Amino acid sequence: MSQIMAKREKISKRILVIGGDGIGPEVTRWGKRVLETVAEKYGHAFVFDEGLMGHAAIEATGNPLPDDTLEKAKRSDAILFGAIGHPKYDQDPHLKVRPEQGLLRIRKELGLYANLRPIKLFDELLAASSIKPEVLKGADILFFRELTGDVYFGEKKKADDGSWASDLMIYHAYEVERIARKAFEAARLRRKKLCSVDKANVLESSRLWRAVVQQVAADYPDVQCTHMFVDNAAMQLIRDPLQFDVILTANLFGDILTDEASQIAGSMGMLASASVGDGTGLYEPIHGSAPDIAGKGLANPLASILSAALMLQIGFQMQEEADAVLRAVEQVLKKGYRTVDIADKHTENSMIVGTDGMGQQVIQQLANS
Amino acid sequence: MSQIMAKREKISKRILVIGGDGIGPEVTRWGKRVLETVAEKYGHAFVFDEGLMGHAAIEATGNPLPDDTLEKAKRSDAILFGAIGHPKYDQDPHLKVRPEQGLLRIRKELGLYANLRPIKLFDELLAASSIKPEVLKGADILFFRELTGDVYFGEKKKADDGSWASDLMIYHAYEVERIARKAFEAARLRRKKLCSVDKANVLESSRLWRAVVQQVAADYPDVQCTHMFVDNAAMQLIRDPLQFDVILTANLFGDILTDEASQIAGSMGMLASASVGDGTGLYEPIHGSAPDIAGKGLANPLASILSAALMLQIGFQMQEEADAVLRAVEQVLKKGYRTVDIADKHTENSMIVGTDGMGQQVIQQLANS
Ligand SMILES: [Mg+2]
Ligand SMILES: [Mg+2]
């Protein structure tokens, strides 16, 4: 192995680790360990910083995104993030300083306009979904959800007398183009199929979306580009998920479809996501801070480990290294190891592991592969 | 039976039948036959009119909704509608006079602001869905989708230079209130649970929606009212559909969620819908005109028959009669009769029937029940 590796270029990267709140720090620790193991195995130099964000940052500094964290973020090549959120804020909706503000601000400061969410099912976990295994087996979808435009950020108005309220659904051509290019580039490295989801039969903003995607598609003649209405897509995702490779869609539609698709995957505990723009990207599990199990050593670290793999693949173009992490996770699942959230009635008691047990298995598998 | 029936009031109703295009007329014929059978059996007087709409109406009169049809609609108590649409218009998107205009206009003229879609699974067809039978069994959801407001009808704008485009997502309090009242009334007659779906954590129009629903809920203290974000709802629908009774939602969200839910039911060929306002309501299958099988006698008439049942239940408050139709359909399915669209590998060839075969079975079962 060392001989093969010796031929490869040694790459240096600076990575900011933000554990955040709840189970965030305990799972992110294993995502980081995986990156360290990859660096050692492949001879890369990964330098790590640590930063605070969310409730933990509010407690320490009064600010959900301290300047120190933001500065470190800007000089990093990528960010490995855990989760933020604390029950205290749910109980008091009027608190002005809130953990989520940290995440919204870092997205804005770094210009993270594209949210990527891979939905890939490990054969061993097929049974966990409410969808039939024969419908799901082999599903491998990569969502590109636009993250900074749409009706979520358009002008909001309401009548003083409460008789009406409105939100402006608006897209600029440049917003559609930049994420479309990223999605076509990704499709090129996959199965070369891109499905753009809109509601162009009814919405003007969707007609613009479709026109821009069609223009960009002309630059990628090797990628098969199709268009689908969002209501049909919501149905097709559960009817026949294997038809999809890359799905490109707007902020609102993507919010709905990615959550629907997470159920296809059976468990939120297995899904990673990336928020990227033209600079530093942020990689994180889609699960939340899960305060009810925080500190108990029960949380599933695989979504953080898969977030690290996504960073290797998308952020650093290290496909081989990313594949090695995926294979390690697959092997550990094949051996039968499960955290409680992905265990089922067929799981033997002796194979149920905690956060650290699962993390160690993956590291071992990865180091010895 | 006649003695029991004799005690009940004889009710007179005028029903307009619009077969429309493609398979519309052949399936609607059986919806009408079911209504005739019910009238005979229960001693009601149903008087039927016929009207043209869609492509058939354009061919005959140049108008997708001829005045004659509209006048008949206005003096009817309910409309049984089939489907509209013809491939000719798909091939030429520039044709100015189009079949769908007929449906849009009749909805507008009759003020049909609420679209009702029941998702109820017949045990015999559980296997047809891509969702696991154990997740689905017993699912019984009634959607109320707002039909005349939202981003579909708000102001549309676009830049002359193509640099941006927008649609206004807007709701007026009165639009939310009138459909909310209908949904709460329906929930009262069911399992007394109503889930209102919105995106109030991000959208101003959703916050208005939620506030109005909460006000209306105060008038229905016997109905348990909950609120759910649309992305979560898209996931929960496939994770655990049994948690839902009545789902109330806006036009766009309802468009997406009802199509997703139709996949829960396995086949579009089994689903009915109602569009209602404060006067005459329109009852129709959710399937389209299916030109590829039109005239072949293969189309499944059950969605039209179930649309007739929905008319009895919602339009005429004839719960007993509606239940009799549902039971008849259930019995025919239990005996093993299937049209091709709902047949599977376990269906014996001898039990596969056409449109008329299936229609006759239901009529016979209903008449003899
Ligand atoms: Mg979401
Ligand atoms: Mg739809």
Side-chain angles (χ1 to χ4, degrees), chain A residues 183-192 219-223:
Chain A
F184 275 101
E185 294 290 343
R188 208 164 233 186
L189 299 175
R190 293 171 47 99
R191 302 192 305 282
K192 298 188 169 50
D219 293 341
Y220 299 85
D222 51 325
V223 176

Side-chain angles (χ1 to χ4, degrees), chain B residues 176-177 179-180 184 194-198 207-220 225-227 248:
Chain B
V176 184
E177 184 182 346
I179 188 173
F184 276 101
L194 183 148
C195 178
S196 173
V197 173
D198 61 36
R207 284 188 278 269
L208 176 85
W209 179 281
R210 187 174 286 211
V212 174
V213 171
Q214 280 168 342
Q215 277 165 26
V216 173
D219 293 341
Y220 298 85
C225 175
T226 56
H227 303 269
L248 165 65

Side-chain angles (χ1 to χ4, degrees), chain B residues 70-143:
Chain B
L70 186 56
E71 275 160 36
K72 284 176 180 159
K74 286 184 174 170
R75 59 163 196 266
S76 297
D77 296 299
I79 302 165
L80 184 69
F81 166 57
I84 49 175
H86 190 275
K88 158 179 173 185
Y89 304 87
D90 301 333
Q91 285 146 25
D92 188 351
H94 300 291
L95 281 172
K96 282 270 179 294
V97 179
R98 307 178 67 84
E100 311 84 53
Q101 292 162 347
L103 187 56
L104 290 175
R105 193 163 156 238
I106 203 169
R107 279 185 188 158
K108 200 177 162 191
E109 293 280 346
L110 299 176
L112 306 178
Y113 55 77
N115 186 250
L116 279 64
R117 195 182 291 187
I119 305 285
K120 192 177 153 89
L121 301 181
F122 291 94
D123 282 356
E124 285 68 28
L125 299 180
L126 276 183
S129 175
S130 55
I131 311 216
K132 291 177 182 163
E134 64 268 31
V135 175
L136 284 181
K137 194 170 160 60
D140 178 4
I141 306 174
L142 177 57
F143 276 95

Side-chain angles (χ1 to χ4, degrees), chain A residues 37-170:
Chain A
T37 307
V38 163
E40 205 172 311
K41 186 176 164 77
Y42 291 85
H44 300 311
F46 293 166
V47 179
F48 294 91
D49 274 331
E50 300 271 342
L52 289 175
M53 193 162 85
H55 170 70
I58 297 175
E59 294 285 290
T61 71
N63 183 349
L65 179 64
D67 291 345
D68 170 68
T69 302
L70 185 57
E71 274 159 37
K72 285 174 180 163
K74 286 183 175 171
R75 59 166 196 264
S76 297
D77 296 297
I79 303 164
L80 184 68
F81 166 56
I84 50 174
H86 190 279
K88 157 180 172 182
Y89 304 87
D90 301 332
Q91 285 146 25
D92 188 351
H94 299 292
L95 281 172
K96 283 269 179 294
V97 180
R98 307 179 65 84
E100 310 85 54
Q101 292 162 348
L103 187 56
L104 291 174
R105 191 159 158 240
I106 203 168
R107 280 185 189 158
K108 198 174 165 196
E109 293 281 346
L110 299 176
L112 306 178
Y113 55 77
N115 187 249
L116 279 64
R117 193 182 293 188
I119 304 285
K120 191 178 156 84
L121 300 183
F122 291 94
D123 283 355
E124 285 68 28
L125 299 180
L126 277 181
S129 175
S130 55
I131 312 221
K132 291 175 181 164
E134 63 269 29
V135 176
L136 285 183
K137 194 171 160 58
D140 179 3
I141 306 173
L142 177 58
F143 276 95
F144 277 76
R145 168 190 169 193
E146 204 285 331
L147 206 55
T148 57
D150 207 352
V151 70
Y152 289 179
F153 294 93
E155 191 184 12
K156 296 175 187 313
K157 292 187 188 176
K158 58 179 173 177
D160 290 335
D161 64 358
S163 63
W164 60 267
S166 72
D167 305 85
L168 191 66
M169 178 179 276
I170 180 165

Side-chain angles (χ1 to χ4, degrees), chain A residues 117 145 254-256 258-259, chain B residues 199 231-232:
Chain A
R117 193 182 293 188
R145 168 190 169 193
D255 196 2
I256 298 171
T258 56
D259 274 15
Chain B
K199 189 69 186 173
D231 45 343
N232 188 28

